[in-house]
Amino acid sequence: MANDELLIKDEVWLRITQLEYKMKQGMSKEAFEKEVRRIYIEEMGEELPADMKVYSSNESNNLESDYDGTAIYFEDEEKSINQLYVISQGSNDPGDWLYNAIGLFQGKDASQAIDADTFVDEAKKAFNVSDKEVLTVGLGHSLANNNNLTAQVLNESFDKVYGVNGAQINAYQLYNIDDHFYREVNQNFNLLRTDKNAIYTLPPDKLEQFAVEYIEEKIDTSSIHQLRSSNDPLYALMENTRGFVTVPVEAKEGMVTNKNYAGLSPLLANLPDEEIVKWQAIFMPAADAYMDNGVDGALDVLEEMTGLKRTVFDDFNELQADLQQLLEADTIDLSEYPVFMRGEMARSHALGQVGAKIPQAFDLLSKGLTEFYHIKQFQRNVGPIVETVQGLNDSAEEVFGYLV
């Protein structure tokens, strides 16, 4: 068998990536190992041919962000098996969603990506393995895919990276964390180093193309394998929001997993880039405050900007808790999906268990944005955004109908 990847089959790594979310909910390492072995038998028709050890991010004292992940080490000296799988966890709590806004949309924070790389190093030390000896593979869904891919660009943390319906690399985020990319961008586009936000004024298509070329020169993008459903809401966001780049380039074309649902791409594609620019500018002070003073700093700025009290944000935390309950639903019919996508799509499909929550979600967001609309300093900026979100609200049943 040499050191061929044990979890290379899509059905195997997808199910194990989904399983890892349970570690956040208190699953023990022993129970996790038992489930991994069961999945392997079910999908491969034989027992896992190696000893297995598990290391959790909960055991680390060196992670500075809300990064969560689990490392699995497979070893069998006689069969020459020496493999480390690091499963980074996707968005799973309010801290992750705030990171999505500040880190991914604004591109200001890359602390989870840095911690993904730190966790890989910690896992190797915990299992007493060296870089030269062990095959290191990263697995991730949603936010975790961004963390793994960004860590790969920064330090080539993995030999292989597998992602499913994942957030992509953000050029603004890379600019703020990769010194070499920072210098290359400044030189190529004649940006002043004293203006840390000048990059947001660049034409996004030119910046994104430059970022893709930089990434392709720095790492072997053929080591990245992505499964993306064009019906997934995150796919629409990644392909229609400025700053996000997809590697390898062929991963830009997602798979159609539901022919009866077009996804959100047609709706988001009609949102002018100049409106996204305005929103980035509006919330940039809050993002900068977050980087300097954390959550409290960001909320102070938002309250000062909008006049909205912090209780408004508590409503969104309540909604997040409701959606988390949806994601824990167990009774799901996945027969309409290709077999290899079922493990991952189960999480999205669970939203259909309580469909009424989705219109409420868009209604809450629509009302919040309408309030922003009446605030003087926002009046000329938010019109098209409000219309887009209200369109989502009006078509919520159609948008999410395929999940029922």
Side-chain angles (χ1 to χ4, degrees), residues 17 42 55 68 121 135 213 240 247 287 293 307 321 323 346 354 404:
T17 300
E42 289 177 357
Y55 179 73
D68 290 301
D121 290 339
L135 174 70
E213 292 173 0
N240 294 284
V247 291
N293 299 305
L323 292 178
V354 190
V404 179

Side-chain angles (χ1 to χ4, degrees), residues 2-3 73-76 80-84 129 133-135:
N3 210 29
Y73 179 54
F74 299 112
E75 181 184 30
D76 189 297
S80 299
I81 297 174
N82 187 24
Q83 302 177 15
L84 173 65
V129 296
E133 297 173 349
V134 67
L135 174 70

Side-chain angles (χ1 to χ4, degrees), residues 51-110:
D51 293 330
M52 175 179 169
K53 297 177 182 177
V54 179
Y55 179 73
S56 170
S57 58
N58 294 330
E59 301 175 68
S60 171
N61 294 318
N62 298 315
L63 303 181
E64 299 182 0
S65 69
D66 287 327
Y67 172 88
D68 290 301
T70 301
I72 311 173
Y73 179 54
F74 299 112
E75 181 184 30
D76 189 297
E77 189 172 346
E78 291 183 2
K79 298 175 183 176
S80 299
I81 297 174
N82 187 24
Q83 302 177 15
L84 173 65
Y85 285 81
V86 174
I87 312 166
S88 294
Q89 192 172 113
S91 303
N92 206 22
D93 59 37
D96 290 331
W97 293 109
L98 182 59
Y99 181 83
N100 287 336
I102 303 297
L104 271 62
F105 180 66
Q106 297 290 105
K108 286 291 187 177
D109 187 7

Side-chain angles (χ1 to χ4, degrees), residues 20 43 143 156 163 185 212 215 224 266 290 297 345 362 385 394 396:
E20 198 280 333
E43 299 295 346
L143 165 62
E156 294 189 82
V185 169
V212 169
I215 293 167
I224 299 169
Y290 171 82
M345 292 305 292
F362 286 120
I385 300 285
D394 295 339

